Amino acid sequence: MPAVLRVALPVPLPSLFDYLPPATGQAVPGSRVLVPFGRGKAVGVVVDVAADSAIGKSRLKPAIQALDDAPLLDAELMRSLAWAADYWLGAPGEAYANALPLALREPRPLPDTRDETWALTVAGQSALDAGSRRGGSRDLLQALVAIPLAATELSERLPGWRTAARRLAPAGLIERVAARSVATAVTTAPALNDEQQAAVAAVASMLGQFQPFLLDGVTGSGKTEVYLALIAQALAQGRQALLLVPEIGLAPQTVRRLRERLGVPVEVLHSNLSEGDRARAWLRARNGEARVILGTRSAVFTPLPQAGILIVDEEHDGAYKQQDGFRYHARDLAVVRARALGVPVLLGSGTPSLESLANVVAGRYRGLHLRTRPGALRPPQVQIVDMRAQRLEHGLSPTLLSAVADTVARGEQVLVFKNRRGYAPVLLCYQCSWHADCPRCERPMTLHVGRRQLICHHCDHRAPVPTVCPSCGATELKPQGQGTERLEEALTAQFPTVPVLRIDRETTRRRDTFEQLLDGLRNDAPAILVGTQMLAKGHDLPNLTLVAIVGVDEGLLSVDFRAGERLAQTVVQVAGRAGRAAKPGRVLLQTHHPDHPLLRQLLAQGYAAAAQELLAERRLALLPPFSHQALLRAEAHQRGHVDAFLHAANAALPAGHPLQVAGPMPAPMPLRAGRHRGQLLLEGDSRSALHEVLRAWQSTLFALPAARRVRWSLDVDPVDLY
Ligand code: ADP
Ligand code: ZN
Ligand code: ZN
């Protein structure tokens, strides 16, 4: 009697789909099958094999084809995915779709994972010498001059190299060669200090068992050395290591450090890889060829058949939370996978999240600390600049400008931090107080002078900059407030002989330009860096001795209960850039609220104390992590549709449920990109009480007629309420 295959298909529906087994081949849990779906076909993952189907076997269609001889997803990954889909209320198919690289969701044989290495031919060398190739082709020839390179390395250095390879290979200018011998370690570890040794020993004693650790140490305190030592120990035991970083911008230096130190293949997994490369990297991890896997959020789904340790760097970073589709949190999923794999998981940060700190207090995570910074003289001096008493020059106070002048005069570098792109956040008419609003969001549009555009930072709507006021015809339109572009202009005018470098999403469109811009900085010359959050981490800048933080006040006034935590993290991260090497650093924090208790405490007692205070406030207010939230969001072109859905959803909550409900209410941004937005916030004292309600409620939501007229989503543990 044939069994029933329960299959996850990549559709946003909360159910699995039942099929009869294919005529030939084995379809076991974890393997892929091609099935008829709607009018076409789809590739799904067999989640379960059941004896019967609720639909009735006679009505089931057979699967067309089994695509794998053996499970592609192993038992642990299947279990962890099932857990994740249940916890974050993802459609099962979406969870599997996140786990499998796109190229593996096609009904094709698995790609070849052997190392693909390319070399320059003699003809290629002559072509390069003769200068007969330009652009991407020239870049590729140039990259191969010294030594042959593996495809993975080429993808990191030259994202578009495959296009060039398709031209150059048929012309005989480059060729595929046998893989280079495996990398060998070329650097040796420094002698670890006592705290580093204690941290390594604590985690190493748990290799082979599940235990989460929180490693608390500011940037430069030597966390990465702790990771490297632990990865080396896992490798020595014949095991694999997974290291997650929040942004790919942080990866290149880390990859270099891992490869040079460990002498094993390091696989890099992130969303900028081509689909083919991504699939190959994933498969190499699965068959154990990849020993160390470094990646961003989605790399948490990498198969780790020989896992030894999982590490999450900068664990507080919001980038670990996926904000659309399947809304999982990679840090939390890493902990869940570590438990399933029976291995330790190490979360590292200089500014740990309140959630993780609370887990240490509760005894679920073990706390480890690095308090000294190897090589640094002393922590930077932080000083508050009261803006109220000063005449500002494009938002910069005289105190700040004179500190910048002193620093560059000494031949040192300055970082001016402002978390706002563009020239000015508002364009205002001085006659009638009209200002340029986005028609689709009803929020001010940001003036971008270089691009001569007004741009909405919420929906990317663009408009030309008016020369006269559209409302009263006056010609006095003035930019209000400052963004990085305006600060760059003001600082260039003030310091005409010093290079001013702006680093934000606008100046670093290509993913390697960030590195290149910073690489171009000389360590012995003055410079001024102006930039956003991007400058808060990565890349050691030994000649940077002054950090000027301009405008964190938005964070002090925000209604979001996490704003204080984020502000403290940002201030500490950015401040940590000052005086990292042998030179002492100084930090100026310019604010209209010099007496704000959070700022005061942060500066007087540091992040750990401020975080404990914030945690105490959360406990009193019964906010996460002392309660558990889920947010139902809805949006539609008509406000009435949003309201109708949210009211129906509210009414569909089971009678007598134990949750607190806020709403239905408009979202903090009630209109975005022309859509009205609303939400309903559910809060429970216990996670299980919340989830018990959510599971049943979610399926009723799918069935609501009003749900068909809105876009809606459920977000468990939302990190921002927008
Ligand atoms: P983090 O990851 O916390 O930012 P790193 O591990 O990158 O810190 O260390 C910062 C710098 O200090 C690096 O250049 C690193 O090589 C160096 N370093 C770390 N630990 C030691 C040590 N025990 N002895 C000497 N140098 C060290
Ligand atoms: Zn006007
Ligand atoms: Zn807009």
Side-chain angles (χ1 to χ4, degrees), residues 190-193 196 217-225 257 374 540 580:
L192 299 184
N193 64 30
Q196 286 173 316
V218 294
T219 303
S221 62
K223 293 186 297 299
T224 308
E225 289 300 335
R257 222 162 139 188
D540 196 12
R580 180 158 178 179

Side-chain angles (χ1 to χ4, degrees), residues 29-30 45-47 73-83 96:
V45 175
V46 181
V47 173
L73 297 152
D74 61 30
E76 176 276 322
L77 200 46
M78 291 296 287
R79 260 204 324 280
S80 295
L81 287 173
W83 187 94
Y96 293 91

Side-chain angles (χ1 to χ4, degrees), residues 351-374:
T351 52
S353 63
L354 297 189
E355 280 79 4
S356 294
L357 289 171
N359 276 323
V360 172
V361 173
R364 282 188 288 270
Y365 296 179
R366 257 190 239 165
L368 304 167
H369 302 272
L370 301 181
R371 293 188 177 87
T372 49
R373 295 211 292 179

Side-chain angles (χ1 to χ4, degrees), residues 585-663:
R586 184 172 172 207
V587 179
L588 296 180
L589 201 158
Q590 196 178 269
T591 176
H592 282 109
H593 306 278
D595 298 319
H596 196 285
L598 175 59
L599 284 183
R600 285 266 159 233
Q601 182 173 36
L602 189 61
L603 302 194
Q605 291 167 280
Y607 180 82
Q612 289 310 326
E613 182 70 35
L614 289 169
L615 262 180
E617 285 170 20
R618 297 255 189 108
R619 186 192 294 276
L620 279 177
L622 275 181
L623 285 167
F626 303 102
S627 69
H628 306 279
Q629 297 182 332
L631 186 66
L632 176 66
R633 295 187 180 86
E635 57 175 51
H637 286 293
Q638 294 183 41
R639 162 150 298 146
H641 290 163
V642 175
D643 292 344
F645 169 72
L646 291 175
H647 279 106
N650 197 12
L653 279 166
H657 69 78
L659 309 179
Q660 290 85 263
V661 180

